[in-house]
Amino acid sequence: MTTEPPSGSGQPPDDDPFRKEPPHGNSGSQPPPYGTPPPYGNDPYGGAADHLAGMPPLADSGKRVLARIIDLILVGIVVWLIALAFSTTEFDVGSDKMDTGKSLGQGLIAAVLYIAYDTVLTARTGQTLGKRLMKLRVANLDNGATPSVQTNLIRAAVLWIPFAFCCACIWTAISGGWSFFDKPYKQGLHDKAAKTVVVSTG
């Protein structure tokens, strides 16, 4: 009989190395593994406990931007190659007019690939390639564990679905840039939707 939660439950497995110990697991004789962070004010999620206790420090927003740029470049190359192969490039050769259908096709390809990239990699380790290079990871706000596939899908969809239709760069900047101003958890809008935070690993 396995101790892992049923598939699709959204709960992290018990052997997740990043999962925080429950409050009763800390008898007071030992501090949490990363110490207790300073108070961040009222908890917008309505909990009395500090969700950040026992977790690594929140990631620097500048490093988050660099990680996202790395991911954009890596996936963008793949998007460009696929778009080229299927002739869904944004402009017709020899024409001054943008082909709307091809532009939408390229946007859809980009959105699907970015969502798949974020969802699959982050569900495995909490890290995309960009986050790994920047020594960051995504964590559930409530327990510090690596988010489930469902949670990561929500997070990625909020960030990338607008990419397919309009204002791709603007929305990405707004959603991710929200972490520069958000308190107490420095969440992007996609983090708020998924109830996740980004923390430092080094």
Side-chain angles (χ1 to χ4, degrees), residues 53-182:
M55 290 176 67
L58 293 172
D60 176 75
S61 295
K63 286 188 175 181
R64 291 185 65 172
V65 170
L66 290 176
R68 183 60 68 192
I69 289 173
I70 292 169
D71 292 331
L72 280 167
I73 292 171
L74 292 175
V75 181
I77 292 171
V78 177
V79 171
W80 180 78
L81 291 173
I82 292 175
L84 192 64
F86 287 93
S87 299
T88 59
T89 49
E90 189 170 345
F91 295 95
D92 281 330
V93 176
S95 172
D96 292 333
K97 290 186 176 181
M98 185 193 309
D99 186 326
T100 304
K102 291 182 178 180
S103 178
L104 179 60
Q106 188 176 16
L108 286 171
I109 290 172
V112 169
L113 286 179
Y114 280 119
I115 288 172
Y117 172 83
D118 266 14
T119 300
V120 173
L121 268 66
T122 309
R124 288 181 176 179
T125 63
Q127 296 175 303
T128 59
L129 296 177
K131 284 185 172 61
R132 181 172 296 183
L133 289 173
M134 291 292 104
K135 297 184 178 180
L136 311 174
R137 63 174 289 269
V138 180
N140 286 329
L141 179 60
D142 62 347
N143 60 19
T146 300
S148 66
V149 172
Q150 296 94 324
T151 298
N152 282 306
L153 183 58
I154 292 170
R155 188 175 186 272
V158 170
L159 183 62
W160 296 117
I161 283 179
F163 204 98
F165 302 103
C166 67
C167 308
C169 294
I170 295 175
W171 172 249
T172 304
I174 292 173
S175 183
W178 201 268
S179 68
F180 281 88
F181 312 102
D182 181 72

Side-chain angles (χ1 to χ4, degrees), residues 2-21 122-125 137 140 143-150:
T2 178
T3 59
E4 292 189 4
S7 177
S9 67
Q11 295 299 317
D14 292 336
D15 61 350
D16 188 322
F18 297 110
R19 184 171 182 162
K20 293 192 296 184
E21 289 294 326
T122 309
R124 288 181 176 179
T125 63
R137 63 174 289 269
N140 286 329
N143 60 19
T146 300
S148 66
V149 172
Q150 296 94 324

